[in-house]
Amino acid sequence: MKRASYQFPGGTRLQDSERAEAVGVRVVHGGSKLVAPVKVDDGIIAEIDRLTELAPLHIPAALKAIDDARRTHPGVPIVAVFDTAFHQTMPAVAAQYAVPAALGVRRYGFHGISYSYITSRVRASRHIACHLGNGASVCAMRDGHSVDTSMGFTPMEGLVMGTRAGDLDPGVI
């Protein structure tokens, strides 16, 4: 008899006979409201969906993962973890653009889950880490906190990588 299983993105398999205690879903952009891991409910899903235009390559996939987890594991808590949350500690000089604050535009930074892991493993109080691959960014950290990053308001700003041309002079447009 063949046992059924569910394969999560990234390859982790959960067999029929196993019950997940919780499901974590990486969400690239949490905006200004979702700044820490949070248990998913309909209100959180609506807030994540509202941010789709800020990360259109990423948010729909995260929402699908949440929907899949709800469908295949009813009653199991789902926690959304936001890449932008790690960078909430950036000082104003790094987070602000040279535009009026009333516009509500700030640098959020991304790859925060990766950088958070790095700070848990690196003992230096000050370091610069590079997240390189199809996604690419650089982050300066002090005492386990982000103080500056190469990425901005959306995942479009920053180093050249597989899905972006890197920072582009407005004169090009």
Side-chain angles (χ1 to χ4, degrees), residues 9 12 27-28 37 86 92 94 114:
T12 302
V27 181
V28 167
F86 179 74
S114 173

Side-chain angles (χ1 to χ4, degrees), residues 25-38 51 80-90 106-116 139 144-147 149 152:
V25 177
R26 170 191 178 233
V27 181
V28 167
H29 210 310
S32 60
K33 293 180 182 175
L34 301 172
V35 297
V38 64
L51 298 169
V81 182
F82 303 93
D83 264 339
T84 51
F86 179 74
H87 300 288
Q88 294 297 310
T89 58
M90 287 192 305
R106 63 157 291 176
R107 294 180 72 219
Y108 286 101
F110 299 89
H111 302 135
I113 298 167
S114 173
Y115 291 126
S116 179
C139 181
H145 300 284
S146 175
V147 294
T149 184

Side-chain angles (χ1 to χ4, degrees), residues 11-86:
T12 302
R13 266 191 200 282
L14 189 65
Q15 300 297 326
D16 273 17
S17 59
E18 299 175 296
R19 175 160 162 72
E21 292 182 28
V23 175
V25 177
R26 170 191 178 233
V27 181
V28 167
H29 210 310
S32 60
K33 293 180 182 175
L34 301 172
V35 297
V38 64
K39 187 175 175 185
V40 172
D41 61 22
D42 290 341
I44 296 298
I45 290 171
E47 183 62 24
I48 293 169
D49 187 50
R50 189 184 69 74
L51 298 169
T52 298
E53 69 180 288
L54 298 180
L57 294 177
H58 302 86
I59 300 276
L63 289 171
K64 182 175 182 337
I66 290 169
D67 184 56
D68 286 351
R70 284 179 130 186
R71 187 175 33 76
T72 60
H73 295 82
V76 173
I78 302 166
V79 177
V81 182
F82 303 93
D83 264 339
T84 51
F86 179 74

Side-chain angles (χ1 to χ4, degrees), residues 89-170:
T89 58
M90 287 192 305
V93 69
Q96 292 176 336
Y97 285 103
V99 298
L103 292 175
V105 176
R106 63 157 291 176
R107 294 180 72 219
Y108 286 101
F110 299 89
H111 302 135
I113 298 167
S114 173
Y115 291 126
S116 179
Y117 174 77
I118 290 168
T119 64
S120 76
R121 308 298 294 173
V122 174
R123 301 294 176 231
S125 63
R126 295 177 183 208
H127 55 281
I128 296 174
C130 302
H131 180 101
L132 301 174
N134 198 42
S137 64
V138 177
C139 181
M141 294 170 263
R142 182 181 310 124
D143 299 324
H145 300 284
S146 175
V147 294
D148 206 348
T149 184
S150 61
M151 295 181 77
F153 183 66
T154 73
M156 293 302 297
E157 181 179 358
L159 305 175
V160 173
M161 62 180 228
T163 56
R164 72 169 171 248
D167 291 342
L168 195 61
D169 185 307

